[in-house]
Amino acid sequence: MALNDILGTAASGLAAAQAGLKAVSNNIANVGVAGYAREKVNLTTSVMSGNVTGVSVGEFERVADRFLEATVYRRAGDYGKAEVTSGYLDRLQSLLGQPGAKSGLPARLDAINASAIAMTGSQSSAQTSAVFIGNVSDAISSMQQITKDVDGLRSDVESEVGYSVDKINTLLQRIYDLNGTVSQATGLGRNASGAADQRMSAIEELSGMLSVNVRDQPDGRVIIETTSGQMLLDTRLRQLDYPNKGSGVGNAQATYPDISIRFSDKNGNQGALTGEKLDSAAVGGKLGGLLDLRDRALPSFSEQMGVVFSGLSEALNAVSNEGTTMPPPASLTGRQTGLVSTDRLGFTGKATFAVASASGTLVAKTEIDFDALGPGATVNDMVTTINAGLGGAATASFTDGVLKLTAAGAGNGVAISQSATTPSSRAGVGVSQYFGMNDLIRSDSSTLVPTGFTAADPHGFTTGQSAQVILRDSSGLALTSYTMQPTTGGTMGDVITELNGSDLGKFGAFSLDSRGRVRFAPASGLSGASLQIATDSTDRFASGRTFSSLSGLSGINSGLDVGQVRNDIVNNPSQLPLARIDTSVAVGTKAVGSGDTRGATAFADKLAATLDLGKDGVVTVGRFSTALLGRAGLEASQAQNRFDDAGARKSDAVNRRDSYSGVNIDEELSQMVVLQNSYSAAARVMSTATQMYDTLLQMVR
């Protein structure tokens, strides 16, 4: 080997050691910087004309394992979703109060039952009646407040969805810019470690917002797509487009606009749609958790709260409609039923319509045998039969969907009683309760009872009216939607046929149950699917009753929002119908007595009995509400556990990544010693070669 070759080899060794020391210096300087991946010098053997001429020093190389980084991204997505879900479900649980608290809904329902029992031994005192009425009002108010609080949570979630979209767009634009920097440096053969570190941190933050897959490209760029397949970033920048973002305040809505994906220029100005969108919790991360809460978890709770109200109102109204006051009221005015006078009556069994004096003496009565009226009888036929039977002692009328019964003669009152052996029934409720003649609880937006419609009954809607029905799976994903458009003159059977023939019918079957409620049986594998009526312009025979309120598809339309105890009863507790009229006695005989508290016992018995809640099963109101609130607590606890687990898994993934690519100060100091020795050895070779060269020159001289 020539002396020049020896000197060149030694010089390359010095340069390699210097580069290595520079890398160590950079690593030590950044030992506390989050997301910094240590560097190492890329060294290769230098060969010239087939001879080894030392070592070539390349650019610094970032030490990282893309598989470990990908694990961090996946775990960050799980963590982001678990964190936001746990936070909001914990807030929901706090709104419901501590288990066993007197202010909790189960305690309020128990208070209704306790006060009903108290009335049974008090000779119907005004004080105990007032307590009972107050407890019912408190329970309804509690349900309404809970529902408003849940809507408030949904509003907060919706606001966070908008903020999250903005954050995701900012991160995508930053990653796109860093992609360009890394690609340019890679193409020029320069070190891109700094930009790559910043990009990794941005991707980790992005993966916490939504779950992503990251693929490295030969030019140094990365391609990012969601785990559900939507492309977010390749050679072109994309941005999320959400109409509600930027409003600052979210609102609880029946439905929300889709989050679309648009192409964008480098400045973030959005352009054409890509045809893809983010529409369910399947996107993962914080955004996925927010969408799940907004579209599934919180609406489901509100829907179930509506079911509690429906059960409570049906139970209490069943008792109040079998009772009367002493003296009986001069008139009874029902609620809006959505029926017209030509509608099929549809009742079986018997009921007695009676008139009594202020002293409780029976003035007149007529027993209506609905079976004898025949299956073709109409509402108007019932009114005619009542008027004929009472002979002018009282008058029944049916106007604009409301039945009214008014006594004739000063001081007289009216009452309705079920037959003891064959009580009247349509949709499982008596005639007085069906028409709401003596309801304890009223709601202007609901009939409060199932309709009892059959497939042959006219739906009463007109051409041009519509209702949009959305089907969601158990994750909140909108599987499909359909805008129902009934035509004038059609039947309820036509509505069911239309729904089954739509895209909704591909996921299950619609039918009418025995109480006239529209039921949906999801197809196999779609357990947990739910229906939601987003918009509804239908109006049955201009009664104000929509398909939403009549179908019984969802507890959202139960009428809870405007439900209340009847005003005259609130203002005068003596108007609580606790007495029972004895229709078996002859006219001119005492039929109603003061101090009759049989209605109080009936209230207590009815609350303890099971009710048919349709899709929610046959259960008591108290048990259903307890299960609902218990389930909310369980879900909050499970969400907290998932959050703790996700945090531990993410920390483990970060530790593994950092153990491989992070800076270990002991290793760097050890490497520094090695490089110093290498530098000294190269310097010694150069010094020796210099001495040899000087000796050679002396010999030549």
Side-chain angles (χ1 to χ4, degrees), residues 88 91 146-157 252 298:
Y88 274 100
R91 287 177 60 183
I146 289 172
T147 304
K148 289 178 182 177
D149 290 339
V150 173
D151 285 344
L153 286 182
R154 289 188 73 200
S155 296
D156 291 346
V157 169
L298 295 179

Side-chain angles (χ1 to χ4, degrees), residues 442-667:
R442 285 282 176 93
S443 175
D444 292 337
S445 63
S446 173
T447 60
L448 297 180
V449 293
T451 62
F453 287 146
T454 65
D457 286 321
H459 56 58
F461 309 129
T462 58
T463 302
Q465 298 176 351
S466 63
Q468 183 188 17
V469 184
I470 299 176
L471 175 65
R472 298 184 184 276
D473 65 11
S474 57
S475 70
L477 172 65
L479 297 174
T480 187
S481 68
Y482 175 70
T483 301
M484 183 188 75
Q485 297 177 312
T487 56
T488 302
T491 65
M492 290 302 299
D494 295 332
V495 170
I496 298 301
T497 300
E498 180 182 352
L499 291 173
N500 281 326
S502 69
D503 288 341
L504 296 168
K506 298 176 182 178
F507 297 92
F510 289 87
S511 63
L512 285 176
D513 70 7
S514 61
R515 303 187 75 189
R517 296 171 297 202
V518 178
R519 299 291 295 273
F520 176 72
S524 177
L526 273 182
S527 177
S530 61
L531 290 171
Q532 181 181 26
I533 301 177
T535 59
D536 191 351
S537 64
T538 59
D539 187 352
R540 187 173 198 270
F541 292 126
S543 64
R545 290 291 178 256
T546 63
F547 175 75
S548 305
S549 62
L550 296 172
S551 64
L553 273 174
S554 172
I556 294 292
N557 307 111
S558 66
L560 170 59
D561 55 337
V562 291
Q564 61 180 357
V565 175
R566 217 171 70 204
N567 285 330
D568 61 313
I569 295 178
V570 172
N571 296 329
N572 184 4
S574 65
Q575 294 300 308
L576 182 66
L578 295 179
R580 295 294 173 90
I581 188 168
D582 186 357
T583 56
S584 65
V585 301
V587 172
T589 308
K590 190 83 167 179
V592 186
S594 60
D596 186 353
T597 60
R598 284 177 291 172
T601 303
F603 277 125
D605 292 342
K606 194 67 175 180
L607 288 172
T610 59
L611 291 171
D612 177 8
L613 300 179
K615 62 182 177 57
D616 297 290
V618 178
V619 66
T620 66
V621 176
R623 180 171 296 179
F624 184 83
S625 65
T626 300
L628 171 61
L629 301 187
R631 187 162 59 249
L634 177 61
E635 289 179 355
S637 176
Q638 291 174 337
Q640 180 62 48
N641 292 336
R642 287 193 295 269
F643 174 49
D644 293 339
D645 293 343
R649 288 194 296 269
K650 181 187 176 184
S651 296
D652 177 68
V654 170
N655 289 336
R656 288 177 180 273
R657 180 197 65 187
D658 291 348
S659 294
Y660 179 82
S661 62
V663 178
N664 185 306
I665 195 68
D666 293 332
E667 290 181 1

Side-chain angles (χ1 to χ4, degrees), residues 670-688:
S670 174
Q671 181 68 8
M672 181 179 290
V673 172
V674 172
L675 290 169
Q676 286 175 336
N677 291 335
S678 177
Y679 186 90
S680 298
R684 179 66 61 88
V685 170
M686 180 169 285
S687 176
T688 301

Side-chain angles (χ1 to χ4, degrees), residues 96-297:
L96 302 178
Q98 296 296 323
K102 292 183 179 180
S103 60
L105 182 58
R108 293 186 186 276
L109 294 176
D110 289 342
I112 295 175
N113 189 61
S115 55
I117 294 174
M119 287 191 298
T120 63
S122 64
Q123 293 300 304
S124 187
S125 74
Q127 181 179 359
T128 54
S129 295
V131 171
F132 174 78
I133 295 166
N135 287 334
V136 175
S137 295
D138 286 346
I140 295 174
S141 297
S142 177
M143 286 185 275
Q144 290 171 336
Q145 186 59 52
I146 289 172
T147 304
K148 289 178 182 177
D149 290 339
V150 173
D151 285 344
L153 286 182
R154 289 188 73 200
S155 296
D156 291 346
V157 169
E158 172 62 2
S159 294
E160 281 211 60
V161 169
Y163 299 146
S164 297
V165 168
D166 283 335
K167 182 65 174 178
I168 289 169
N169 285 340
T170 300
L171 290 169
L172 285 173
Q173 187 169 356
R174 176 166 174 75
I175 295 168
Y176 176 80
D177 293 339
L178 290 169
N179 251 356
T181 301
V182 173
S183 178
Q184 183 179 22
T186 301
L188 296 174
R190 295 177 181 173
N191 179 26
S193 296
D197 286 344
Q198 294 177 47
R199 185 178 65 185
M200 181 196 73
S201 296
I203 295 174
E204 182 179 342
E205 188 173 359
L206 175 68
S207 64
M209 303 300 296
L210 74 167
S211 297
V212 297
N213 290 326
V214 181
R215 290 182 282 146
D216 294 311
Q217 300 302 297
D219 64 352
R221 295 177 182 271
V222 294
I223 290 178
I224 301 177
E225 61 185 7
T226 68
T227 53
S228 50
Q230 296 91 345
M231 182 62 67
L232 296 176
L233 180 68
D234 48 19
T235 56
R236 297 183 65 180
L237 173 63
R238 292 165 177 79
Q239 297 274 269
L240 305 186
D241 179 24
Y242 185 51
N244 283 9
K245 78 178 178 67
S247 61
V249 178
N251 296 300
Q253 302 169 202
T255 59
Y256 297 87
D258 292 328
I259 302 175
S260 303
I261 302 177
R262 291 181 178 270
F263 290 111
S264 175
D265 63 22
K266 63 180 181 180
N267 297 317
N269 298 314
Q270 297 184 2
L273 290 167
T274 67
E276 297 179 312
K277 59 185 180 181
L278 309 180
D279 54 6
S280 77
V283 300
K286 179 180 180 180
L287 181 60
L290 291 170
L291 294 180
D292 179 61
L293 287 163
R294 187 195 69 182
D295 297 336
R296 183 196 62 82

Side-chain angles (χ1 to χ4, degrees), residues 319-339:
V319 177
S320 66
N321 276 283
E322 290 184 21
T324 186
T325 57
M326 180 58 194
S331 67
L332 293 173
T333 302
R335 76 176 96 78
Q336 173 59 255
T337 59
L339 301 182

